Amino acid sequence: IHEGGHYYASLYTNLDAVPLDLAEVHSQGNEWLFIHAMKDHMGSAQHDALVDFRILNDMATVMICLMVDEFESRVYTTDISEFTAEDFDALMEAVATQYFSMAYITNYITDIQWYWRMVVVDQPVYYISYAVSAIAALDLYTVAVEDYETAVAAYQMLCEGLDEELGFLGNLDAAGLAGPFQEEFYQRLVRLVEGHT
């Protein structure tokens, strides 16, 4: 479902020219629309549990992304010419502890020291894009709960009618979605979560 969203968008636009934030809305947004569509094929209690779990998982992912981004920011703004591998590990542990307990982060990511090397070295600055796109994709779901056809139209616009000149926030706005810095999204999210309690 995730990769299918990328494929769908690739039929209409050059993904190399699309901001990474937006490209990840194509994939994560498709996941959320699929979850909404599953409502008619599951019991309501099971579907609510799936949505709640996915929201919790996405918010944890956003926090992990912010943690990795802060680690990168500290590395990029620090004189690391004398750093050893142990110094980088100590810095990641300090940042991770600031965000979570190490017990939690170790439960979520088996080896944070291996993990940061994979994501930071191979794909620097990727995780902040993934965080903001996760929020935009979740907003697509909050819209779908209120009006599925509107959400589908917004998703199609982001895939088929994307304007490269507008960038991430401009395309979200053109599609009628709230960006990650707009209160409207968080109000819709609160209504959604309160509807499940």
Side-chain angles (χ1 to χ4, degrees):
I1 302 301
H2 180 99
E3 300 307 331
H6 287 306
Y7 175 73
Y8 173 43
S10 76
L11 298 175
Y12 297 95
T13 188
N14 174 12
L15 292 185
D16 290 336
V18 174
L20 191 55
D21 323 63
L22 204 49
E24 292 299 346
V25 176
H26 295 149
S27 55
Q28 295 178 89
N30 201 39
E31 292 176 41
W32 273 112
L33 289 178
F34 178 78
I35 287 173
H36 186 276
M38 288 302 295
K39 185 172 188 173
D40 295 335
H41 305 283
M42 302 174 74
S44 61
Q46 291 83 2
H47 188 262
D48 284 353
L50 172 63
V51 170
D52 289 345
F53 174 79
R54 179 61 195 265
I55 290 171
L56 176 65
N57 189 64
D58 277 12
M59 292 301 98
T61 297
V62 166
M63 292 302 295
I64 296 290
C65 291
L66 294 174
M67 180 190 76
V68 170
D69 182 67
E70 180 163 336
F71 170 74
E72 289 179 322
S73 295
R74 290 192 192 186
V75 168
Y76 299 152
T77 58
T78 302
D79 179 4
I80 58 170
S81 59
E82 303 294 322
F83 266 40
T84 64
E86 291 77 20
D87 293 326
F88 286 109
D89 287 347
L91 179 58
M92 174 50 87
E93 185 169 346
V95 172
T97 302
Q98 178 183 330
Y99 278 75
F100 306 97
S101 71
M102 284 308 290
Y104 176 85
I105 196 71
T106 302
N107 184 54
Y108 195 84
I109 298 172
T110 303
D111 184 350
I112 187 63
Q113 304 300 2
W114 171 85
Y115 188 76
W116 80 253
R117 286 174 172 78
M118 180 183 71
V119 300
V120 172
V121 174
D122 289 349
Q123 297 174 314
V125 199
Y126 168 71
Y127 262 42
I128 194 63
S129 292
Y130 205 80
V132 296
S133 63
I135 293 170
L138 180 52
D139 187 46
L140 187 68
Y141 180 76
T142 68
V143 172
V145 168
E146 296 178 1
D147 185 343
Y148 183 65
E149 296 306 318
T150 297
V152 169
Y155 182 72
Q156 288 175 317
M157 183 270 156
L158 290 176
C159 292
E160 299 176 22
L162 184 133
D163 183 343
E164 294 173 11
E165 299 298 317
L166 291 179
F168 175 62
L169 296 177
N171 275 286
L172 292 181
D173 187 57
L177 297 172
F181 311 112
Q182 292 179 278
E183 188 175 337
E184 180 183 353
F185 158 69
Y186 299 96
Q187 291 171 343
R188 282 199 289 255
L189 181 59
V190 166
R191 286 197 302 272
L192 174 68
V193 172
E194 287 178 345
H196 285 205
T197 56

